[in-house]
Amino acid sequence: MAVRHRLIRRAPQRVWEVLSDPEQYADWVVGTSDARPDEGSWPQLGASLRYEIKIGPLTLHNRTIVRRSEPLTVLELEADSGALGTARIAMELRPWGEDTLIILDEHPLRGAGGFLHNAVVETLQQARSRAMLSRLARLCEDDKPPAPDLSIRQEPLEA
């Protein structure tokens, strides 16, 4: 299973804003493009998005459905990749001081993705998850002023 975590230097409210914006989905989910609302109001339970995944000359038309949504704390999705099967993508947001610790757990549920899951696929999944969390952090932190420099400064000694 691909479980990764990342500290995002923003409050959970900001991280949830990005996760709740269907127009930003393709900006943080690696490999997706042309994301658009399908059913319901994202990210409410049962809402879905449609998007494309391009692999070389091949274009897949996929759908992701919200399976669990607890604002500011949990978002669980099921990505349906047709013949490739489905995957569970669970994100937990934990307040960490003024920041957010996000834990991403993604693994196959049904279909070929689960059957073909092996160490090589797991390595690729880990890289994809790391990239997704990096993109999500960048989106969340973009408008944040830089953190103050809290390093200890030594004053020169006077003679």
Side-chain angles (χ1 to χ4, degrees):
M1 285 193 282
V3 178
R4 306 246 2 133
H5 66 275
R6 175 148 183 162
L7 185 65
I8 297 179
R9 301 202 177 277
R10 291 301 302 262
Q13 292 84 352
R14 174 63 184 143
V15 178
W16 188 259
E17 285 174 15
V18 173
L19 294 175
S20 296
D21 185 351
E23 293 182 13
Q24 291 191 59
Y25 186 83
D27 295 335
W28 62 271
V29 178
V30 173
T32 63
S33 64
D34 193 30
R36 61 203 172 282
D38 182 38
E39 293 180 12
S41 181
W42 190 266
Q44 292 178 355
L45 187 63
S48 62
L49 296 176
R50 292 211 177 261
Y51 52 91
E52 294 179 348
I53 294 180
K54 296 182 182 186
I55 304 170
L58 184 64
T59 300
L60 304 174
H61 300 278
N62 293 0
R63 181 175 183 233
T64 292
I65 304 160
V66 177
R67 295 298 187 201
R68 182 174 170 209
S69 182
E70 297 176 19
L72 305 178
T73 59
V74 175
L75 182 61
E76 291 189 19
L77 309 172
E78 183 175 352
D80 184 349
S81 298
L84 295 178
T86 65
R88 173 184 176 263
I89 302 119
M91 292 164 280
E92 180 182 351
L93 285 65
R94 294 184 185 172
W96 201 262
E98 294 181 6
D99 301 326
T100 304
L101 178 64
I102 185 165
I103 301 164
L104 173 68
D105 175 359
E106 183 173 4
H107 62 272
L109 283 175
R110 294 184 279 259
F115 179 73
L116 299 173
H117 195 84
N118 59 39
V120 173
V121 172
E122 180 67 22
T123 300
L124 293 172
Q125 186 60 51
Q126 288 285 343
R128 180 177 183 270
S129 294
R130 187 174 27 251
M132 279 188 358
L133 289 174
S134 178
R135 288 177 174 197
L136 180 61
R138 189 172 41 250
L139 286 169
C140 294
E141 295 171 350
D142 264 358
D143 64 338
K144 181 181 181 185
D149 181 5
L150 301 177
S151 60
I152 298 174
R153 293 196 176 111
Q154 294 182 351
E155 298 296 325
L157 294 175
E158 293 185 30

